[in-house]
């Protein structure tokens, strides 16, 4: 135990299981007195550490036991609340309460927004959170705002950092006034005062029982002072985790921190990324050295061999000393019990880790844990373990933003922010929590109907856009019945959404927006969103946000609310109330501290993941932080390195990485590279797990699909064929089969761009109404085109890009029609449907326009918004739409064209650009057959022959509907997945 001269400082080496070794030593020191433990106190860095030590006591006791007081005092990341057991210290001279974290964040966001007018609430909250972290770090290091004003760096800083520094000074100067107004102090400040008072009290009246501070590595002066006091007390001990006692003095001194230069007064930067840097700073703050620290004598059955600790120390030497690896003996390189797994993809890595964890369960009593900062990897491993019915205890939990209550709240904000745009609206309405219960089936029927109606271009913004979409039409299309069904359902949905729209349009403040979201979330779900442990977490967070929102940002643009909610919800992790498998755990880096299992899997060993890249500080440049004496951003890398080194001390360790990440090739972690370089020939690969991961889902045989060629009965083959499907039948019979026999039609995407099909339909409608009006005035045509662009569903971008092109092409059409009229050509029919029976099959088609030529013959015209088919394609038997329409006309299939008409002219009128103008006429035929074209007089006969052959083969005969019979022509991709194209296309079946 400590005395007034020499503090009692110990370290438990990395190769020992910290919690079990700590408990073994404490129980050995306290002897057989059953009440001695209950009179003691153990200070630990976090709640997770408390749980680990409590579990170790249970394992060690083998029966009933009165535990000492286990008190979490915070952790290296500075942000965990002080244990409630210390609060009674302020009874005589009360310490002001700490400001609530949410209230603090809101006030800081308001101050940021006032200092930087124009930024939205989401940005202000993020900047305010970063500002709060800097304030905490300054208070941890006992720095006052005056320290900023004493810096003389103005000439050396860029304008950006100078502006940030100026804003920072303004805000922190106002912050004390805000605290005084509320009668509160910062949480870190309160913790400092508690620790100072505790150290002072224990100096005069130490506790009657033992006091142990274990596993604490925080370098805060207040914590260091308290630890020093504990070490000096008669019943006190400080036990460090993984203090390296194998490093020689040269390596230890090379870590830093270094004394200031006597000339410049500046201290060289230490190796903050070294795993021992934080512990060395803590010892320095405690006025102690490494020589003052003794090794803890006790261990447990979960320890690794002692040589592991020495070799971990070798692997973690400071950079300038790593050249000594060349001279290491084999025994000093050995990492017996440590294996490495290097695989190709994150999916393969997760599968291999799951197999390794599953293997550990085969040994009774053996424990295993995955430690990784990569939450995607942890989620994948959890999913793979479920195939064996194993629910892993994932201590890090999942962020609330990814759980159903959080996704619904974000979806509501997104829908309002986008003014109920189709994708955002459907995402909200389809959410699994919405209308949960007996009414959900009817609700989903209405949502599915709305989904079908929203296929295509976006309607007008807001709920009024949906109202207009459902409005009855005089010329009700084929979706009329669907529109009527949705029209009956929509009032129910509108009543639930309208309060949201009304509140956000009328309420620009954050408090009102949050209240509207909360109210309607309950209405949409029947309060199911607030049920269960996930709903309770969401309700608690929303209650805190609403209570603090009046103190928050004043400018709350509804478009920023989704980002704001995602940020706030993402900061809350939710764990299931029940634990997982008792022998398997998935831990984050913070949760893994002081933990050790028989098998430790350290996953995601890639640079940027482990260690993660330090997030840039938006307020203080690295130079300013260094001059102020604040820890550098690379301190977090040092903490990650210490976590890695500690986890390497387990009896069996598997380190893993994937050579490719989610966004491209990945670079191996510096920790991985150090171990590999140091161990040299002793590097052991665990390739067996990669082989098992590849084999577990490998099928016994591979039987790819053959090219589809269905032969349906003649009775189900259609007898009515549109001219637009003739090409599909010839080039890709299977696509025809899927469309006309199976009746499978491709749905347009929701909120789709106004593509060629939409533009073509719009142009045809304009030209039809213009021709039917009879005046054929150019001004009337332009007015109709302009009216189309003025529709609310026409996207502004489409209007800006397409309107000038179309208007020019429209003028060209009007001029061409006037020219033809002057030459004696008249319009007989527009958008006229006709039918003709050919070889027992009815051919149906709609002609864009049919003209009477001066000699009494007919001219068939097809409007194109793009490039028309080539004459070569037409001659090869494709793109026969004009010819087939001519066949129908000559067979009397179009009403009102006279007796025995003859089609003598076939033209495409394209609105595309040719040369420097928009609009041109092109014909696939020629009176003399020049330039490889079909002779005009033979065109209808050619089309009739081609169509008759297809009818005889496919509709009346037994030819199979082969997939992509002519792939160089078949450009329809609607049925590629149905025909399993990727399995057979390009394969040599011969």
């Amino acid at each position: 135990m400590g005395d007034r001269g020499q503090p009692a400082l110990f370290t438990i080496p990395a190769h020992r299981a910290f919690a079990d070794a700590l408990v073994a030593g404490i129980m050995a020191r306290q002897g057989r007195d059953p009440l001695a433990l209950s009179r003691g106190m153990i200070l630990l860095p976090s709640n997770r550490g408390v749980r680990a030590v409590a579990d170790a006591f249970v394992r060690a006791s083998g029966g009933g036991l009165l535990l000492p007081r286990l008190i979490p005092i915070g952790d290296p990341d500075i942000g965990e609340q002080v244990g409630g057991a210390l609060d009674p210290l302020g009874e005589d001279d009360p310490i002001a309460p700490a400001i609530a974290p949410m209230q603090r964040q809101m006030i800081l966001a308001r101050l940021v927004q006032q200092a930087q007018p124009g930024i939205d609430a989401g940005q202000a909250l993020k900047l305010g959170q970063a500002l709060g972290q800097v304030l905490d770090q300054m208070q941890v290091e006992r720095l006052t705002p005056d320290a900023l004003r004493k810096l003389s760096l103005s000439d050396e800083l860029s304008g950006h950092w100078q502006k940030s520094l100026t804003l920072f000074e303004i805000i922190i100067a106002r912050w004390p006034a805000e605290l005084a107004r509320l009668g509160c102090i910062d949480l870190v400040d309160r913790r400092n005062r508690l620790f100072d008072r505790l150290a002072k009290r224990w100096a005069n009246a130490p506790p009657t029982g033992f006091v142990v501070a274990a596993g604490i590595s925080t370098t805060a002066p207040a914590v260091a002072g308290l630890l020093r006091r504990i070490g000096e007390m008669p019943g006190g001990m400080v036990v460090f985790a993984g203090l390296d006692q194998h490093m020689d003095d040269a390596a230890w001194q090379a870590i830093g921190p270094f004394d200031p230069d006597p000339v410049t007064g500046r201290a060289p930067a230490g190796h903050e990324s070294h795993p021992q840097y934080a512990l060395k700073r803590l010892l320095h703050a405690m006025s102690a050295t490494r020589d003052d620290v003794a090794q803890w004598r006790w261990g447990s059955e979960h320890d690794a061999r002692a040589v592991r600790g020495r070799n971990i120390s070798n692997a973690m030497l400071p950079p300038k000393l790593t050249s000594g690896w060349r001279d290491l003996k084999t025994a000093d390189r050995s990492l017996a019990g440590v294996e490495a797994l290097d695989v190709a993809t994150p999916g393969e890595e997760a599968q291999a880790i799951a197999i390794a964890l599953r293997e550990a369960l085969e040994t009774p009593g053996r424990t295993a844990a995955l430690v990784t900062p990569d939450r995607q990897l942890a989620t994948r491993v959890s999913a793979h373990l479920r195939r064996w019915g194993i629910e892993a205890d994932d201590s890090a939990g999942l962020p609330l933003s990814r759980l159903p209550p959080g996704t619904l709240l974000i979806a509501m904000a997104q829908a309002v922010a986008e003014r109920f745009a189709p994708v955002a609206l459907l995402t909200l309405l389809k959410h699994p929590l919405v209308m949960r219960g007996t009414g959900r089936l009817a609700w989903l029927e209405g949502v599915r109907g709305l989904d079908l109606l929203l296929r295509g271009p976006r309607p007008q913004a807001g709920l009024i856009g949906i109202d207009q979409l459902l409005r009855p039409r005089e010329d009700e299309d084929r979706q009329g019945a669907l529109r009527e069904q949705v029209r009956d359902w929509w009032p129910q949905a509108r009543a639930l959404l309208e309060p949201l729209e009304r509140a956000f349009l009328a309420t620009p403040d954050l408090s009102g927006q949050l209240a509207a979201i909360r109210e309607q979330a309950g209405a949409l779900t029947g309060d199911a969103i607030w049920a269960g442990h996930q709903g309770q977490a969401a309700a608690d967070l929303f209650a805190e946000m609403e209570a603090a929102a009046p103190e928050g940002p004043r400018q709350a643009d509804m478009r920023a609310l989704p980002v704001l909610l995602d940020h706030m919800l993402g900061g809350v992790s939710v764990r299931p109330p029940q634990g997982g498998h008792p022998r398997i755990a998935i831990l984050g880096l913070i949760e893994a501290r002081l933990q050790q299992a028989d098998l430790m899997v350290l996953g995601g060993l890639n640079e940027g993941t482990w260690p993660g890249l330090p997030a840039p500080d938006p307020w203080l440049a690295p130079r300013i932080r260094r001059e102020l004496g604040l820890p550098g951003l690379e301190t977090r890398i040092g903490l990650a390195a210490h976590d890695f080194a500690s986890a390497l001390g387990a009896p069996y360790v598997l380190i893993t990485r994937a050579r490719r990440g989610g966004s491209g090739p990945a670079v191996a972690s510096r920790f991985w590279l150090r171990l590999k370089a140091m161990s040299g020939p002793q590097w052991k690969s665990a390739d067996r797990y990669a082989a098992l991961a590849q084999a577990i889902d490998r099928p016994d045989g591979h039987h790819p699909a053959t090219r589809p060629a269905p032969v349906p009965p003649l009775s189900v083959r259609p007898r009515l064929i549109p001219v637009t499907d003739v090409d599909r039948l010839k080039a890709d019979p299977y696509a025809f089969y899927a469309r006309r026999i199976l009746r499978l039609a491709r749905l347009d995407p929701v909120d789709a761009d106004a593509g060629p099909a939409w533009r073509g339909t719009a142009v045809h409608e304009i030209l039809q109404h213009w021709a039917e009006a009879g005046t054929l005035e150019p001004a009337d045509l332009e007015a109709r085109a302009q009216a189309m662009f003025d529709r609310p569903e026409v996207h502004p971008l489409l209007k800006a890009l397409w309107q000038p092109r179309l208007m020019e092409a429209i003028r060209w059409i009007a001029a061409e029609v006037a020219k033809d009229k002057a030459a004696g050509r008249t319009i007989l029919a527009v958008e006229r449907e006709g039918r003709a029976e050919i070889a027992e099959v009815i051919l149906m088609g709609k002609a864009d326009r049919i003209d009477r030529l001066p000699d009494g013959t007919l001219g068939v015209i097809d409007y194109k918004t793009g490039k028309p088919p080539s004459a070569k394609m037409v001659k090869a038997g494709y793109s026969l739409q004009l010819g087939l329409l001519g066949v129908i006309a000559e067979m009397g299939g179009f009403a009102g064209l006279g007796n025995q008409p003859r089609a003598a002219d076939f033209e495409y009128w394209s609105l595309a650009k040719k040369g420097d103008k928009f609009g041109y006429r092109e014909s696939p035929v020629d009176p003399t057959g020049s330039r490889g074209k079909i002779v005009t007089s033979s065109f209808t006969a050619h089309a009739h022959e081609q169509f008759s052959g297809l009818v005889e083969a496919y509709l009346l005969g037994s030819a199979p509907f082969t997939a992509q019979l002519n792939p160089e022509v078949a450009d329809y991709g609607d049925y590629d997945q149905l025909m399993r194209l990727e399995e057979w296309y390009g394969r040599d079946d011969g």
Side-chain angles (χ1 to χ4, degrees):
M1 297 296 179
D3 55 46
R4 294 288 178 177
Q6 183 66 31
L9 307 181
F10 301 89
T11 181
I12 297 178
H15 69 274
R16 291 184 183 169
F18 183 89
D20 291 286
L22 176 70
V23 167
I26 291 176
M27 293 183 70
R29 282 177 173 269
Q30 300 310 311
R32 298 181 179 274
D33 183 357
L35 297 180
L37 281 178
S38 64
R39 290 193 291 266
M41 178 186 303
I42 303 177
L43 305 184
L44 293 157
S46 64
N47 287 316
R48 187 73 190 188
V50 167
R51 177 179 170 184
V53 172
D55 290 344
F57 271 113
V58 172
R59 288 192 295 269
S61 67
L65 191 69
L66 293 175
L67 293 180
R69 295 169 62 192
L70 305 178
I71 303 172
I73 66 166
D75 60 33
D77 217 12
I78 306 301
E80 194 162 314
Q81 292 188 3
V82 180
L86 301 183
D87 283 353
L89 291 170
E91 289 177 354
D92 299 333
D93 182 16
I95 299 175
I99 186 172
M102 183 64 68
Q103 187 180 25
R104 181 181 195 244
Q105 189 169 348
M106 288 289 181
I107 294 175
L108 288 174
R110 169 168 54 82
L111 296 179
V112 169
Q113 196 177 63
Q114 290 172 349
Q116 292 183 290
I119 66 172
D120 60 52
Q123 291 175 302
L125 276 168
K126 287 184 178 180
L127 287 173
Q129 188 175 41
L131 176 64
Q133 292 172 352
V134 176
L135 287 172
D136 287 343
Q137 291 167 0
M138 291 183 67
Q139 292 185 64
V140 163
E141 300 297 330
R142 298 192 185 275
L143 294 174
T144 64
D146 290 337
L148 283 171
R149 301 184 182 94
K150 295 177 181 178
L151 295 177
S152 56
L153 300 172
S154 301
D155 296 338
E156 304 176 28
L157 292 176
S158 67
H160 166 73
W161 286 113
Q162 186 60 53
K163 181 180 179 182
S164 295
L165 189 57
T166 303
L167 289 172
F168 185 66
E169 287 192 45
I170 294 173
I171 293 170
I172 63 172
R174 296 176 57 187
W175 178 239
E178 294 286 345
L179 290 175
R181 174 176 64 86
L182 298 170
C184 297
I185 59 176
D186 281 311
L187 181 62
V188 173
D189 183 18
R190 188 171 193 275
R191 185 175 65 179
N192 286 343
R193 298 186 192 188
L194 285 171
F195 289 165
D196 290 344
R197 182 170 293 184
L198 182 61
K200 183 178 180 180
R201 171 181 290 187
W202 282 351
N204 299 320
T208 56
F210 69 90
V211 178
V212 177
I216 298 171
S217 58
T218 303
T219 59
V223 175
L226 178 61
L227 295 184
R228 175 77 188 191
R229 176 58 55 204
I230 291 173
E232 292 174 343
M233 291 191 309
M237 291 183 294
V238 177
V239 184
F240 300 108
L243 179 67
D244 191 344
Q245 294 184 311
H246 297 285
M247 298 175 67
D248 58 31
D249 289 337
W252 182 255
Q253 296 304 324
I255 296 173
F258 303 108
D259 294 329
D261 185 279
V263 177
T264 64
R266 294 176 180 172
H271 292 291
E272 295 179 322
S273 60
H274 194 278
Q276 296 293 310
Y277 182 82
L279 287 174
K280 188 176 181 184
R281 278 196 67 199
L282 176 57
L283 284 173
H284 182 74
M286 293 172 62
S287 300
T289 67
R290 187 173 57 151
D291 295 334
D292 298 329
V293 182
Q295 183 168 306
W296 192 254
R297 293 192 294 112
W298 293 272
S300 74
E301 60 183 8
H302 302 288
D303 298 343
R305 295 174 59 193
V307 69
R308 179 81 60 78
R310 183 187 67 213
N311 295 350
I312 293 172
S313 175
N314 291 334
M316 295 299 173
L317 284 173
K320 68 179 183 179
L321 299 178
T322 53
S323 59
W325 288 344
R326 295 192 300 265
D327 303 323
L328 290 177
K329 300 177 181 179
T330 300
D332 295 330
R333 293 178 181 272
S334 174
L335 290 173
V338 178
E339 293 182 300
L341 179 62
D342 189 345
V343 295
T345 65
E348 191 176 343
E349 181 185 11
Q351 182 69 274
I353 290 172
I355 291 172
L357 296 176
R358 174 68 179 84
E359 182 187 55
L361 295 183
E362 295 299 315
T363 302
R366 192 181 191 193
T367 59
L370 165 64
V371 180
T372 179
D374 186 344
R375 295 308 306 156
Q376 289 187 352
L377 178 63
T379 302
R380 282 179 166 177
V381 172
S382 295
H384 284 305
L385 287 172
R386 291 191 188 103
R387 79 190 306 166
W388 298 296
I390 299 172
E391 285 290 340
D393 182 8
D394 189 351
S395 66
L398 288 174
L400 186 54
S401 58
R402 290 174 50 192
L403 297 172
T407 57
L408 176 60
L409 294 168
I410 294 172
M412 293 176 68
Q414 195 71 45
V416 177
E418 296 186 21
R419 299 291 311 280
F420 298 103
V423 173
L425 175 61
L426 292 174
T427 300
L428 170 59
L429 298 179
K430 292 178 182 180
H431 194 280
L433 288 179
V434 173
M435 288 309 229
R436 192 172 181 177
T438 56
R440 181 163 173 82
L441 183 60
W443 173 269
L444 287 180
E445 286 298 323
V447 176
R448 291 189 185 104
L450 181 62
D451 182 306
L452 292 174
L453 291 177
L454 288 173
R455 301 279 167 168
R458 175 184 298 196
Q460 181 180 346
L463 297 177
I464 191 173
I466 308 298
D467 297 339
Q468 293 179 346
L469 180 70
L470 300 177
R471 187 176 299 162
R473 303 180 182 179
E474 295 181 2
D475 55 338
E476 196 68 271
D477 55 14
R478 59 187 175 85
Q479 290 186 318
L482 177 63
R483 189 174 286 107
E484 183 176 355
Q485 172 193 339
V486 177
R487 196 182 298 132
D488 294 336
W489 164 84
W490 175 241
Q492 177 191 6
R494 199 186 201 287
L496 294 170
L497 299 175
E498 189 175 9
L500 271 179
E501 184 179 50
R502 185 171 58 247
F504 275 78
L505 291 177
T507 310
D509 67 284
L510 182 60
S511 182
Q513 292 176 359
L514 293 174
I517 290 283
R518 172 180 48 77
E519 286 293 331
Q520 292 314 115
L524 279 167
T525 65
D527 287 331
I529 186 175
W530 313 120
H533 67 283
Q534 297 175 1
Q536 185 62 49
D540 292 344
L541 177 64
F542 244 71
E544 292 177 11
M545 291 174 63
E546 278 196 72
E551 299 272 13
R554 297 292 183 254
Q555 303 169 20
D557 190 333
M558 66 179 182
R559 292 171 295 182
L561 188 61
V563 176
L564 185 151
L565 283 182
D566 184 63
H567 175 70
M568 300 300 292
L569 294 166
V572 178
S573 292
V574 181
R575 296 184 66 234
Q578 70 280 1
H581 195 284
R583 292 196 284 137
I584 286 185
I586 297 178
L587 306 169
L589 298 191
I590 294 177
E591 291 79 22
R593 290 170 189 164
L594 311 189
Q595 304 276 336
Q596 197 171 94
D598 297 322
L599 169 66
M600 295 288 278
V601 181
L602 313 183
L605 265 293
N606 282 329
E607 201 70 12
T609 301
W610 195 349
L613 297 177
D617 187 342
W619 292 102
L620 299 182
R623 173 70 182 281
I624 300 174
R625 296 179 65 90
R626 187 164 61 250
E627 293 294 334
L628 285 173
L630 293 176
L633 298 178
E634 289 205 342
T635 301
R636 298 177 187 177
I637 297 179
L639 296 175
H642 188 266
D643 295 333
F644 179 72
S646 299
L648 279 175
Y652 298 96
V653 180
L654 175 65
I655 61 174
T656 71
R657 69 172 293 259
R659 294 187 295 274
R660 186 172 184 85
S663 59
V667 177
S669 166
R670 64 190 72 181
F671 307 147
W672 175 287
L673 296 176
R674 275 177 164 270
L675 285 183
K676 188 173 184 179
M678 189 276 297
S679 59
Q682 304 299 313
W683 181 257
K684 294 184 178 180
S685 297
D687 294 335
R688 64 186 182 279
Y689 293 118
L692 290 171
Q694 293 169 359
I696 193 169
D697 292 321
R698 185 183 299 140
D700 295 333
H702 180 57
H703 306 288
T706 57
R707 177 182 293 205
V711 185
L714 292 178
S715 59
V716 302
R717 303 192 185 195
R719 292 293 185 268
L720 183 104
I721 307 298
V723 296
T724 52
D725 274 351
V726 175
D727 267 8
R728 183 179 279 108
L729 179 59
K730 184 176 179 65
D732 191 353
Y734 182 85
F736 178 91
Y737 162 79
R739 182 178 178 85
R740 289 298 168 188
I741 298 177
L742 298 183
R743 299 182 181 180
L744 300 175
R746 174 182 176 273
L747 290 174
D748 290 332
V750 175
D751 201 4
D753 292 333
W758 186 89
R759 295 198 296 266
T761 300
V763 169
H764 281 71
E765 181 182 342
I766 293 169
L767 294 173
Q768 175 187 356
H769 294 160
W770 175 63
E772 289 174 347
T775 61
L776 301 181
E777 290 292 332
D780 181 35
L781 181 57
E782 288 194 40
R784 293 179 185 274
Q786 185 60 52
M788 185 271 292
F789 282 111
D790 291 339
R791 293 177 185 173
E793 68 267 20
V794 177
H795 196 279
L797 184 61
L798 176 67
K799 184 175 181 179
L801 297 179
W802 192 45
Q803 183 175 10
R805 302 161 62 100
L806 178 62
M807 296 305 293
E808 186 174 339
I810 284 289
R811 297 186 190 101
W812 171 82
I813 288 178
E816 292 296 305
V817 169
K819 187 196 307 179
D820 288 347
K821 183 178 180 181
R825 183 167 176 164
T826 59
I827 297 176
L828 289 182
V830 290
E831 300 296 329
R832 179 75 57 87
E833 184 178 300
R835 302 186 178 197
E837 185 174 342
I838 302 174
E840 302 180 29
V841 170
I842 296 175
L843 178 66
M844 176 185 69
K846 180 181 284 188
D848 292 348
R849 203 176 95 200
I850 300 178
D851 290 357
R852 175 77 70 189
L853 303 182
D855 61 359
T857 59
L858 300 180
V860 183
I861 295 173
D862 186 24
Y863 294 118
K864 294 288 185 186
T865 55
K867 185 179 180 180
S870 67
K872 181 180 179 181
M873 288 286 293
V874 175
K875 193 170 186 178
Y878 300 98
S879 302
L880 296 176
Q881 183 175 351
L882 278 178
L884 292 174
L885 289 172
V887 170
I888 296 174
E890 291 181 345
M891 296 181 69
F894 291 106
L897 301 185
N899 296 324
Q900 296 182 338
R902 182 172 67 87
D905 187 63
F906 305 90
E907 290 183 332
Y908 294 111
W909 284 32
S910 174
L911 279 64
K913 189 174 185 180
K914 189 173 185 179
D916 58 352
K917 295 182 179 180
F918 287 93
Y920 62 93
R921 299 162 79 158
E922 190 170 292
S923 177
V925 297
D926 184 82
T928 63
S930 63
R931 292 177 294 170
K933 295 183 177 183
I934 299 175
V935 177
T936 304
S937 59
S938 304
F939 190 29
T940 54
H942 172 74
H944 190 287
E945 180 184 357
Q946 291 286 332
F947 179 70
S948 298
L950 292 172
V951 169
E952 290 295 332
Y954 292 104
L955 304 183
L956 303 178
S958 58
F961 288 82
T962 306
Q964 291 206 355
L965 192 60
N966 295 284
E968 69 278 2
V969 176
D971 58 353
Y972 317 103
D974 297 348
Y975 305 100
D976 287 354
Q977 184 178 10
L978 185 65
M979 68 175 67
R980 296 167 73 171
L981 177 69
E982 298 295 333
E983 292 191 37
W984 59 264
Y985 186 69
R987 194 177 71 242
D988 185 7
D989 292 324

